[in-house]
Amino acid sequence: MARSQRLLTATTVADLRESLRLARQVADAHPESKEAQYLAGEAAYRNSRWPEAAAYFRRGGIVGDDRPELLFYMAVAFYESGDPSSAASALKRALPGLQKTPFVDSYVKRILGQ
């Protein structure tokens, strides 16, 4: 799991794909582990694999409000996979702790219409 976490900061396509492969292995081997599901969800998000990311995030269950970036990743994955209601809920929880960027603002407009 640590190697997959390190690879999530990578910028090459090959490293991002490897991160997803490793994260899937861990998450699928440990379906009871919320952190493993979140890691796989984030890896899928970083690979633009929206339905897969949404599925792993759902398997992980409720994310605490103290993890705004993860909530944002969830919101984007839910939105891009066709679940705007879940996306809006996750994004509203993420916003108080989330750093504003043009990318974040673009999804706030799309998901919340603001």
Side-chain angles (χ1 to χ4, degrees):
M1 194 149 97
R3 182 166 181 232
S4 183
Q5 286 174 320
R6 281 192 309 275
L7 285 170
L8 283 178
T9 62
T11 56
T12 68
V13 172
D15 285 346
L16 289 171
R17 286 184 181 151
E18 177 65 2
S19 176
L20 178 55
R21 186 187 70 75
L22 293 171
R24 279 181 185 141
Q25 285 180 345
V26 173
D28 293 345
H30 301 281
E32 75 291 347
S33 170
K34 287 181 160 212
E35 289 305 317
Q37 304 314 309
Y38 298 156
L39 179 64
E42 183 177 349
Y45 164 89
R46 292 186 184 276
N47 281 273
S48 301
R49 310 259 325 184
W50 310 124
E52 187 175 359
Y56 280 115
F57 286 135
R58 283 190 176 92
R59 279 175 51 178
I62 297 173
V63 174
D65 290 346
D66 61 330
R67 299 180 74 178
E69 288 180 356
L70 190 59
L71 284 165
F72 177 75
Y73 302 154
M74 290 176 74
V76 171
F78 292 154
Y79 176 80
E80 295 293 351
S81 62
D83 186 354
S85 173
S86 294
S89 177
L91 185 56
K92 286 176 186 174
R93 291 181 49 223
L95 283 177
L98 197 60
Q99 182 178 355
K100 303 283 185 196
T101 68
F103 183 72
V104 168
D105 289 344
S106 74
Y107 271 100
V108 169
K109 286 177 187 170
R110 285 187 237 176
I111 295 171
L112 302 179
Q114 299 176 357

